[in-house]
Amino acid sequence: MTEAVRIRPEQFPLTRECPFSPPEEYRGLRDEAPIAKVRLVDDKWAWAITRHEDVRAVLSDPRFSADRTHPDFPMLTRGGRLRQEGDEKPLISMDAPEHGPARRAVLGEFTVRRMEALRPRIQEIVDERIDAMLAGPRPADLVRELSLPVPSLVICELLGVPYTDHEFFQAHTTTMISRMSSAEDRQKAFEAVQSYLRDLIVVKEGDAGEEDLLGRQILKGREDGTYRREALVAMAFLLLLAGHETTANMISLGTIALLENPDQLALVKADPSKTLSAVEELLRYFTIVDAATARRATEDVELGGVTIRAGEGVLALGFAANRDPEAFENPDDLDVERGARHHVAFGFGAHQCLGQNLARMELQIVVDTLFRRVPELALAQPVEELLFKDEAAIYGVHSLPVTW
Amino acid sequence: MKITADVGRCVGAGQCVLTEPALFDQSEDDGTVIVLVDEPEGVLLDHAREAVRVCPSQAISLSG
């Protein structure tokens, strides 16, 4: 089991052959070598972890570091790390004891109650976007009309970023997360967004108010003497990136999956209270940030009969874990009534997605509202012809023609 | 069965509140867990078990 396993194309990350299924190798790895050495794009090696239980164990074990700035951290894209002179570690790269206080400083903004308070505004945004789509020509591109604008508007409003600049972010974030982008283009896009946010935060420093997250963080940091501009730039960058690309892709993919599984869609339509479990199931079913949960061992760790040595990289593969039959019966079936809440689509452990309850709420509102208001919604192009984001770190679909 | 919460481990994901708001709340300030009912019974006990299962930082446990 400790021997290196050779797999197609011998380089991680692997791509999906079917848009709804994990790479075929995941099943083989999980069955035969659940903790296996695999080769990464930069020819270094890392341990691929494919069982649900092991993935949760790795992600909740402080001996595995999340510090992406470390040279031994497993790389999933060519061309090195995105860095700018003097920039700060984002929350996702921090380990204890730095991580806890930094996360708690912003966590109050993302509690279940705070998210619930946003519900009426999110509902309004979703209704406005559906109105606009219905008033326009058929077929419409759901990505452009609904999937992207909804989370984009929500995160811009929450942060206090002018929505008029959203096209700038969308263009740059797409470049940043695409594995097809050149290293130079990714670095340029990264720096452009960083300096935009820095300028915005400098303006807000002069007139910091309670009405948006950035303003509140400035005031709070000044009050307790912890305010640092660059730390807030890093935080804003992370929230904006995560807020743009993840929920948007889940809205599109979730819509496709429900339309392709009419029996499951009928269950949701008949009983809107099932939307809650349907959203969890869609999150599990797609696991759009499969390999984002990489780690580096900081000491020797025994896991499932294997010794992972200090310094070695680990890929806790969420998509493999979320299709583990030990954790989910008939894992390849979409079952909106499945109790799927123990999925790891938002990760697990100290770094579990900060915005998960915002994402859940946006998805619930969209699923509910879209199929209630547009019950005749249908794909205007066969699934086989859709262009999926096989090359991106966050899985999704480039466009989604729909009609009604 | 008694619910114990380790606020030091809690990462404020809010999974316990989503599972059963009658048993758990989050601090307004830093999002960490607040236990509302120490010794749940009946269906609430089942929900407490589910909350323990989905908690990402293993900050809540049931004992006794």
Side-chain angles (χ1 to χ4, degrees):
Chain A
M1 191 190 288
T2 52
E3 280 177 22
V5 174
R6 294 211 163 265
I7 47 175
R8 167 203 71 103
E10 300 186 335
Q11 283 193 339
F12 260 71
L14 301 170
T15 51
R16 308 180 186 212
E17 283 162 285
C18 159
F20 305 123
S21 305
E24 201 41 51
E25 285 80 359
Y26 282 10
R27 189 192 310 271
L29 285 170
R30 205 172 46 226
D31 291 347
E32 287 161 34
I35 301 167
K37 261 199 171 168
V38 296
R39 200 159 79 190
L40 307 181
V41 285
D42 61 0
D43 285 335
K44 289 186 179 164
W45 295 82
W47 295 98
I49 313 287
T50 41
R51 282 188 185 159
H52 186 262
E53 190 186 339
D54 294 338
V55 164
R56 297 213 327 174
V58 165
L59 295 179
S60 55
D61 187 332
R63 294 174 295 176
F64 292 104
S65 164
D67 185 359
R68 285 150 209 265
T69 64
H70 193 285
D72 290 343
F73 194 84
M75 285 293 294
L76 296 173
T77 43
R78 287 187 184 83
R81 293 162 174 79
L82 297 173
R83 295 286 289 163
Q84 198 171 2
E85 197 68 37
D87 66 1
E88 296 261 338
K89 263 187 210 168
L91 206 53
I92 52 165
S93 270
M94 291 180 193
D95 291 320
E98 185 186 17
H99 176 254
R103 180 169 168 125
R104 281 175 192 194
V106 74
L107 205 53
E109 297 279 351
F110 291 93
T111 62
V112 171
R113 192 183 299 121
R114 286 294 285 275
M115 295 301 101
E116 205 51 49
L118 295 177
R119 184 182 288 275
R121 177 62 189 133
I122 299 174
Q123 181 69 57
E124 211 170 79
I125 288 172
V126 170
D127 276 316
E128 283 166 9
R129 297 309 313 178
I130 293 176
D131 287 343
M133 182 178 86
L134 294 176
R138 282 177 283 177
D141 178 8
L142 195 84
V143 171
R144 195 183 160 81
E145 299 297 331
L146 186 73
S147 312
L148 259 174
V150 168
S152 182
L153 274 160
V154 171
I155 198 71
C156 284
E157 280 197 18
L158 186 67
L159 287 178
V161 169
Y163 184 68
T164 43
D165 295 329
H166 78 284
E167 280 182 10
F168 164 85
F169 293 117
Q170 274 158 22
H172 284 92
T173 55
T174 304
T175 305
M176 260 182 285
I177 62 166
S178 172
R179 296 193 181 111
M180 302 300 279
S181 309
S182 72
E184 194 188 344
D185 286 348
R186 287 174 55 234
Q187 182 69 30
K188 268 189 195 157
F190 169 75
E191 287 176 13
V193 175
Q194 285 267 72
S195 52
Y196 172 89
L197 288 170
R198 187 172 296 108
D199 292 347
L200 179 75
I201 286 169
V202 168
V203 171
K204 283 188 187 288
E205 283 171 358
D207 185 26
E210 288 283 344
E211 63 277 6
D212 60 57
L213 187 151
L214 295 177
R216 287 190 292 271
Q217 287 289 303
I218 292 169
L219 291 177
K220 192 175 163 196
R222 279 179 181 160
E223 202 178 315
D224 58 23
T226 58
Y227 180 66
R228 284 181 305 119
R229 179 187 298 157
E230 290 308 310
L232 190 58
V233 171
M235 174 70 73
F237 183 89
L238 180 65
L239 296 179
L240 200 62
L241 181 68
H244 266 91
E245 286 291 338
T246 47
T247 312
N249 286 321
M250 271 310 304
I251 290 172
S252 301
L253 294 170
T255 304
I256 298 171
L258 288 171
L259 290 173
E260 287 292 292
N261 290 273
D263 56 325
Q264 298 297 307
L265 178 56
L267 289 171
V268 178
K269 278 181 168 174
D271 179 3
S273 72
K274 290 205 169 91
T275 310
L276 290 175
S277 65
V279 163
E280 298 301 329
E281 175 66 349
L282 290 167
L283 289 162
R284 178 195 75 85
Y285 190 71
F286 286 106
T287 319
I288 60 172
V289 288
D290 175 35
T293 42
R295 295 288 186 266
R296 175 183 56 89
T298 55
E299 50 187 279
D300 291 0
V301 179
E302 294 287 330
L303 186 71
V306 174
T307 304
I308 295 170
R309 299 283 174 200
E312 289 183 327
V314 174
L315 308 176
L317 296 166
F319 203 9
N322 281 340
R323 297 293 183 102
D324 182 350
E326 293 284 323
F328 304 95
E329 204 176 323
N330 300 321
D332 296 326
D333 294 348
L334 183 78
D335 174 2
V336 296
E337 293 176 305
R338 181 200 298 279
R341 289 227 17 237
H342 56 302
H343 68 72
V344 291
F346 288 120
F348 195 70
H351 288 277
Q352 198 184 47
C353 177
L354 187 65
Q356 61 182 296
N357 295 317
L358 180 58
R360 282 192 167 94
M361 186 183 302
E362 291 178 13
L363 285 166
Q364 287 161 14
I365 293 173
V366 166
V367 168
D368 248 2
T369 313
L370 182 62
F371 292 108
R372 176 169 48 77
R373 292 199 53 197
V374 199
E376 326 74 22
L377 190 79
L379 299 183
Q381 198 178 347
V383 168
E384 300 74 44
E385 292 173 17
L386 295 173
L387 194 56
F388 288 90
K389 295 181 182 174
D390 293 320
E391 74 295 352
I394 302 170
Y395 190 65
V397 65
H398 287 281
S399 68
L400 179 57
V402 291
T403 189
W404 53 90
Chain B
M1 297 290 274
K2 192 176 181 327
I3 300 177
T4 315
D6 180 347
V7 176
R9 287 186 73 103
C10 178
V11 297
Q15 295 313 287
C16 51
V17 185
L18 272 193
T19 310
E20 186 45 80
L23 293 180
F24 302 98
D25 198 357
Q26 280 173 287
S27 144
E28 287 276 354
D29 186 40
D30 65 4
T32 51
V33 59
I34 298 167
V35 178
L36 301 174
V37 179
D38 285 342
E39 297 188 29
E41 289 176 356
V43 69
L44 285 184
L45 180 58
D46 294 339
H47 293 182
R49 286 202 179 91
E50 171 70 3
V52 169
R53 184 167 80 129
V54 297
C55 173
S57 59
Q58 295 148 332
I60 46 177
S61 52
L62 270 168
S63 58

